[in-house]
Amino acid sequence: MKPLHLLLPLLMCTPLAYAADSFNRPTLKPGTVFETRHTDMQRQKEADRWKDTLVGMENGLYKFESRSADGTSTFYKDENLNPVRLSKGSKEVRELYRWPLVVGEGHRYSATSRNGMRVEMQVTVAGVETLTFQGKPVTVTRHEYTGTWTQNGQTGKRVATDWLSPELGWVVRSEYKDFTPAGEVSSWWLDELVDYRQGQ
C-alpha cells in the first residue's frame, strides 16, 4: 500500500472568499451512490472503502445499502441527514446537523453505539470552504466536534471535523481522533469521498 501522500488526492481545501448565511437541507434521490475511502492515519494506510447506495425510503427514513470489505449492511438517515440507530423498536438519532446550517451556530448531542460506547459532543458550524471534488469546486460547511467517549467505565476525549457538501447531501471529508483516558491518541481516521453518482 502506498503512503497516503502518494495516493491521488481528490480533495484540496481552500477558504472561500465569502461566508454564506445559511444552507437549506437537500433531498436525496434513490439510486445515488457515495464511495468513501477509509484511511488509518496512524499507519498511513487505506483500511477500507465503503460504497453506500440510497435504495429508497422506509418509515420516513433514508435507507442505504453499504458494501465494504466486511460485506453488506444496511443503515438509515433521517430527513436531516442524521444517522439513525434502530434497535429493538427504539430509534436513536445522532444529531450532527440542524437545518438550516448557519455559520457560528452550535448544539450538543449524545449517542450510544452498538458496542456500548457513549459519546457526548458539542458541534459547531465553524465556517464555509471550498473543496475540489471530481475536478470541480464544491462548497462545504465545516463542522467541528469536541467531546468525550465513555465505555466500560473509562472516558477519553474525542475530536472531529466534517466537511459537508449541502449540495451533495454528504460529508466529502472527515477526520476524527479518539484519545485514551491518559490523553494519548488511540485512533485517528480520515474518510474521503472518492466517487459520487446521483440517482435518477
Side-chain angles (χ1 to χ4, degrees):
M1 181 66 62
K2 294 182 180 180
L4 181 65
H5 69 277
L6 295 180
L7 293 172
L8 294 176
L10 296 178
L11 298 170
M12 300 296 291
C13 183
T14 58
L16 279 177
Y18 65 91
D21 290 330
S22 64
F23 294 86
N24 293 319
R25 181 184 67 211
T27 300
L28 303 184
K29 296 181 179 180
T32 300
V33 178
F34 304 91
E35 184 173 348
T36 302
R37 177 172 59 217
H38 184 55
T39 301
D40 184 338
M41 294 296 287
Q42 290 176 300
R43 299 172 60 199
Q44 292 288 294
K45 183 177 181 181
E46 181 178 320
D48 202 352
R49 288 204 180 205
W50 304 318
K51 183 176 287 187
D52 301 322
T53 303
L54 175 58
V55 296
M57 300 294 291
E58 185 175 294
N59 298 321
L61 300 174
Y62 289 118
K63 181 180 180 180
F64 290 85
E65 180 182 82
S66 183
R67 295 182 181 273
S68 69
D70 293 330
T72 303
S73 61
T74 298
F75 68 92
Y76 297 88
K77 291 190 175 191
D78 68 9
E79 62 180 4
N80 293 318
L81 308 181
N82 293 310
V84 177
R85 179 173 171 249
L86 302 176
S87 178
K88 299 178 180 178
S90 66
K91 179 174 76 173
E92 183 181 57
V93 178
R94 188 171 296 220
E95 192 179 28
L96 306 182
Y97 313 115
R98 290 182 177 177
W99 301 84
L101 303 178
V102 178
V103 174
E105 289 195 352
H107 64 274
R108 299 189 64 84
Y109 74 86
S110 303
T112 305
S113 63
R114 284 187 171 83
N115 65 6
M117 178 181 287
R118 181 76 175 171
V119 295
E120 304 280 345
M121 302 296 291
Q122 170 70 35
V123 55
T124 302
V125 184
V128 180
E129 298 176 359
T130 186
L131 301 180
T132 299
F133 174 66
Q134 295 182 334
K136 298 178 181 179
V138 177
T139 299
V140 295
T141 51
R142 189 179 76 253
H143 301 251
E144 296 182 353
Y145 305 83
T146 57
T148 58
W149 61 266
T150 302
Q151 187 176 32
N152 299 326
Q154 297 195 16
T155 297
K157 184 173 69 170
R158 169 173 289 185
V159 297
T161 304
D162 286 346
W163 289 264
L164 171 75
S165 166
E167 178 185 357
L168 303 182
W170 207 258
V171 172
V172 295
R173 181 180 173 92
S174 179
E175 186 169 1
Y176 44 106
K177 292 180 183 178
D178 280 343
F179 294 80
T180 67
E184 299 176 349
V185 176
S186 59
S187 61
W188 178 13
W189 297 96
L190 175 67
D191 295 338
E192 296 168 289
L193 186 67
V194 295
D195 194 19
Y196 163 80
R197 297 187 298 280
Q198 188 177 43
Q200 300 301 318

